[in-house]
Amino acid sequence: MSSPPACPVPLAPEVIQLAHGGGGRATWRLLHEVVRPALGITGVSADAAELAVPPGARLAFTTDASVVRPIVFPGGDIGRLAVFGTVNDLATAGARPIALSLSLVLEEGLPIDVLRRVLGSIAAASRIAGVRVVTGDTKVVDRGRGDGIYTSVAGIGVIAPGVDVGPHQIRAGDVVIVSGDVGRHGVAILSVREGLGFEATIESDCAPVTGLLDALVDAGTELHCLRDPTRGGLSAALHELAIDAGVEIALSEPDVPVDGRVAAACELLGLDPFAMACEGRLVVIVPPDHAARALAALRSRPEGAHAAAIARVAAGTAGRVVATTVLGTRRLLDFAASEQLPRIC
Amino acid sequence: MSSPPACPVPLAPEVIQLAHGGGGRATWRLLHEVVRPALGITGVSADAAELAVPPGARLAFTTDASVVRPIVFPGGDIGRLAVFGTVNDLATAGARPIALSLSLVLEEGLPIDVLRRVLGSIAAASRIAGVRVVTGDTKVVDRGRGDGIYTSVAGIGVIAPGVDVGPHQIRAGDVVIVSGDVGRHGVAILSVREGLGFEATIESDCAPVTGLLDALVDAGTELHCLRDPTRGGLSAALHELAIDAGVEIALSEPDVPVDGRVAAACELLGLDPFAMACEGRLVVIVPPDHAARALAALRSRPEGAHAAAIARVAAGTAGRVVATTVLGTRRLLDFAASEQLPRIC
């Protein structure tokens, strides 16, 4: 009599259970068998990580929560978005990332395989950005109180020597540059979520902007302010800068790079491409005599190939963004009251 | 004809809407009229904050997500828990906090007044811990995809000079001390959530342990390892340490301080007080010749008045926690497979 063959496939797929958040053996196993290996965290567990900081470094600190839906979209996923969102926020302070933390809110019932894939994406994105997740926390909420997975990534970065950027540096006459075409991320999410059958797939621009920052710094560009135009898109970024710096911004609409498919999708749906989120673009504000150098530096990298000078800072009315249209007329750009699309990041 | 009197009360209470997460004007107003004032964040907005770090400082980095339900409980609320959870994780690395980040996941429909109260609690808890929230992110999820409010707080701390703690420092013969009675937080949450009418209210121990760390360091205590016994309680903390250090821990059950009401509640409900979460206790592991000094240092502060030596590190079997009971018998302490109570922090 032979024994029955071992079942090669688990009878039920592994899913997240409330016990995985309880702090007992199930939590320990989830962390040591799934989370830490996927992120490449080795050594003994601890509640905090010690950082190696270069002596004399100036540090920047930021955090970004990600609640994007769906968690996988053309050109990216929640893992890439979580890492690049934080890395790009550091870049807007002129900083390169040196360490990330990851906190997870998992919903009961999430397949552990999905968690593994998100963690794998976080690890891959971290490698691309030249940084690692060094500490974290994992919580579980009951079914119907989450949406699979929410992430929060905090990041610490070292500010490049000599860089001091912020709205306080913005002066009338400064030139506003964007590193590439705008609105891709928002439209990519919209197309997949609403099941819109655009002829060609529009991919998110989801990417780190750290390389663009390096190129600007290496070229000796005098940087006044940096911003990544995420939620609310280019329009919200320019409005926030105009408010914080107490200036008016004069935008030249025809100079703003917009992919033809993005423009077509927005026109079809009555959306404003300037208010659609980017996740891999940098808005760079420089004094006029550094504009050519900044453009050349950005264009020296593939992700900055379509960089363009799009606006000028004017004394004018604080907080106002005035656009010159393709017809040569002028209009006030609207600081949209509400989102065009919820949960895009 | 007189104009109608201005309505002194808004017709509908203000609640979080998806638009508050969209990155447009509604987001800007929420951040500038509610979030930043409540946290005392001033100056222009930026996506990252620059940190003031003392030269030569060694830094620790950690993060903690909070999904506790209900958000207000006897002795604390989600705001205090979020801040102290992170501050205490830093303390277990021997570090004092210098900066916090806050990311919020808000559910559509959350009354803005509740958000204000949570933010006020975060600000107050930060003041108590001697630190500030310097950067953050706020996202909104649709109704039924969250539970009012989830927080994630990351923290950076400066490690006290000369301190190098961790499981790698634990040696056979070391003494294990706990700074106060255990299990309060778990029982406090349980009592309010389940509507149990215990005769006396059991309050959470939710508090920062930073002052206890200071007392230990100021007394010149040689510290081998620190841990805060949160989810999974004292039992999970001891098991994790025994696993990571490759040692056995011999616990003396009668020496573990447990409040009489906590013990009674646990007995009534068939729960193990050693597996109930604490949120304001510190487990301290020191060489035997420093045990008296460590106890005196802890007891010099009100929150350490009930500090007690509870266990010894033995060579024994790695990962095992053996308890001597009040009857003098010995039993293996269980590393509970699942939580006794979900979402307690």
Side-chain angles (χ1 to χ4, degrees):
Chain A
M1 200 175 90
S2 65
S3 60
C7 178
V9 179
L11 290 176
E14 290 179 298
V15 298
I16 290 294
Q17 298 160 24
L18 282 172
H20 286 118
R25 194 150 24 98
T27 303
W28 194 92
R29 288 192 59 180
L30 181 72
L31 298 183
H32 285 78
E33 295 172 13
V34 178
V35 180
R36 290 164 50 99
L39 297 173
I41 299 179
T42 53
V44 300
S45 46
D47 291 325
E50 185 169 345
L51 294 180
V53 180
R58 290 180 303 148
L59 297 185
F61 185 30
T62 192
T63 190
D64 228 16
S66 296
V67 299
V68 68
R69 192 178 52 164
I71 63 171
V72 178
F73 48 82
D77 59 53
I78 192 172
R80 290 170 66 89
L81 204 57
V83 170
F84 297 152
T86 295
V87 163
N88 290 352
D89 279 349
L90 289 174
T92 65
R96 290 196 63 107
I98 59 166
L100 301 179
S101 69
L102 170 66
S103 89
L104 297 169
V105 175
L106 308 178
E107 185 190 11
E108 183 187 14
L110 175 76
I112 289 181
D113 204 49
V114 171
L115 173 62
R116 277 204 184 88
R117 275 182 288 161
V118 171
L119 291 168
S121 170
I122 287 171
S126 301
R127 275 194 297 275
I128 291 170
V131 65
R132 285 181 59 187
V133 173
V134 298
T135 187
D137 188 32
T138 302
K139 294 283 157 68
V140 178
V141 296
D142 23 330
R143 208 181 287 268
R145 298 290 183 179
D147 198 3
I149 181 166
Y150 295 146
T151 67
S152 183
V153 173
I156 300 174
V158 172
I159 300 172
V163 171
D164 176 18
V165 288
H168 63 287
Q169 299 281 24
I170 295 175
R171 301 279 177 274
D174 280 359
V175 174
V176 182
I177 294 169
V178 68
S179 66
D181 65 300
V182 302
R184 263 176 197 272
H185 178 72
V187 172
I189 292 287
L190 182 68
S191 63
V192 63
R193 192 188 298 165
E194 309 297 336
L196 298 176
F198 296 132
E199 280 175 36
T201 302
I202 297 162
E203 295 209 323
S204 168
D205 56 337
C206 186
V209 299
T210 316
L212 295 170
L213 172 66
D214 289 347
L216 290 165
V217 170
D218 291 349
T221 320
E222 185 182 330
L223 300 170
H224 280 182
C225 194
L226 301 167
R227 194 59 65 101
D228 59 331
T230 55
R231 278 185 295 177
L234 179 67
S235 176
L238 295 181
H239 275 99
E240 285 169 21
L241 292 172
I243 292 167
D244 285 335
V247 297
E248 181 170 305
I249 292 178
L251 179 73
S252 170
E253 280 194 23
D255 292 333
V256 180
V258 182
D259 182 275
R261 295 162 302 169
V262 169
C266 285
E267 200 173 322
L268 188 71
L269 300 165
L271 298 171
D272 178 2
F274 294 177
M276 300 299 283
C278 311
E279 287 292 345
R281 300 293 178 239
L282 196 59
V283 169
V284 183
I285 301 189
V286 293
D289 54 332
H290 278 254
R293 184 185 301 215
L295 278 168
L298 293 169
R299 289 176 183 158
S300 73
R301 295 190 58 99
E303 69 270 35
H306 299 289
I310 58 169
R312 278 276 190 164
V313 176
T317 304
R320 206 161 74 154
V321 181
V322 182
T324 305
T325 69
V326 67
L327 301 174
T329 57
R330 299 177 79 218
R331 67 172 180 116
L332 269 185
L333 212 66
D334 185 35
F335 190 3
S338 66
E339 91 293 351
Q340 303 196 96
L341 203 60
R343 293 183 56 188
I344 52 105
C345 59
Chain B
M1 201 175 88
S2 65
S3 58
C7 177
V9 179
L11 290 176
E14 290 180 299
V15 298
I16 290 294
Q17 299 160 24
L18 282 172
H20 286 118
R25 195 149 23 98
T27 303
W28 194 92
R29 288 192 60 178
L30 181 72
L31 298 183
H32 285 78
E33 294 173 14
V34 178
V35 180
R36 290 164 51 99
L39 297 172
I41 299 179
T42 53
V44 298
S45 46
D47 291 325
E50 185 168 345
L51 295 180
V53 180
R58 289 181 303 148
L59 297 185
F61 184 30
T62 192
T63 190
D64 227 15
S66 297
V67 299
V68 68
R69 191 179 54 164
I71 62 170
V72 179
F73 48 82
D77 59 54
I78 192 171
R80 290 171 67 88
L81 205 57
V83 170
F84 297 152
T86 295
V87 163
N88 291 353
D89 279 349
L90 290 173
T92 65
R96 291 196 62 108
I98 59 165
L100 302 179
S101 69
L102 169 65
S103 88
L104 298 169
V105 175
L106 308 178
E107 185 190 10
E108 183 186 16
L110 175 76
I112 289 181
D113 205 48
V114 171
L115 174 62
R116 277 204 183 87
R117 274 183 288 162
V118 171
L119 292 168
S121 170
I122 287 172
S126 301
R127 274 193 298 275
I128 291 169
V131 64
R132 284 181 61 187
V133 172
V134 298
T135 187
D137 188 33
T138 302
K139 294 281 157 68
V140 178
V141 296
D142 24 331
R143 208 182 288 266
R145 299 290 183 179
D147 198 3
I149 181 165
Y150 295 145
T151 67
S152 182
V153 173
I156 300 174
V158 172
I159 300 171
V163 170
D164 175 20
V165 289
H168 64 287
Q169 299 280 23
I170 296 175
R171 302 279 177 274
D174 281 358
V175 175
V176 181
I177 294 169
V178 68
S179 66
D181 66 299
V182 303
R184 265 177 196 271
H185 179 72
V187 173
I189 292 287
L190 182 68
S191 63
V192 62
R193 193 189 298 167
E194 309 298 336
L196 299 175
F198 297 130
E199 280 175 34
T201 302
I202 297 162
E203 294 209 323
S204 169
D205 56 336
C206 185
V209 299
T210 317
L212 295 170
L213 173 67
D214 288 347
L216 290 164
V217 170
D218 290 350
T221 320
E222 186 182 329
L223 300 170
H224 280 180
C225 194
L226 302 168
R227 195 57 65 104
D228 58 332
T230 55
R231 280 185 294 178
L234 179 67
S235 176
L238 295 181
H239 275 99
E240 286 169 19
L241 292 172
I243 292 168
D244 286 335
V247 297
E248 180 170 307
I249 292 178
L251 179 73
S252 171
E253 280 194 22
D255 292 333
V256 180
V258 181
D259 182 275
R261 295 162 301 169
V262 169
C266 284
E267 200 173 321
L268 189 70
L269 300 166
L271 299 171
D272 178 1
F274 294 176
M276 300 299 284
C278 311
E279 287 291 345
R281 300 294 177 239
L282 196 58
V283 169
V284 183
I285 301 187
V286 294
D289 54 331
H290 277 252
R293 183 186 302 215
L295 278 169
L298 293 169
R299 290 175 183 158
S300 73
R301 296 190 55 101
E303 68 270 35
H306 301 288
I310 59 169
R312 279 276 191 165
V313 176
T317 304
R320 207 161 73 153
V321 181
V322 182
T324 306
T325 69
V326 67
L327 301 173
T329 57
R330 298 177 79 217
R331 66 171 179 116
L332 269 185
L333 211 66
D334 185 35
F335 190 3
S338 67
E339 90 293 350
Q340 303 196 98
L341 202 61
R343 293 184 55 188
I344 53 104
C345 59

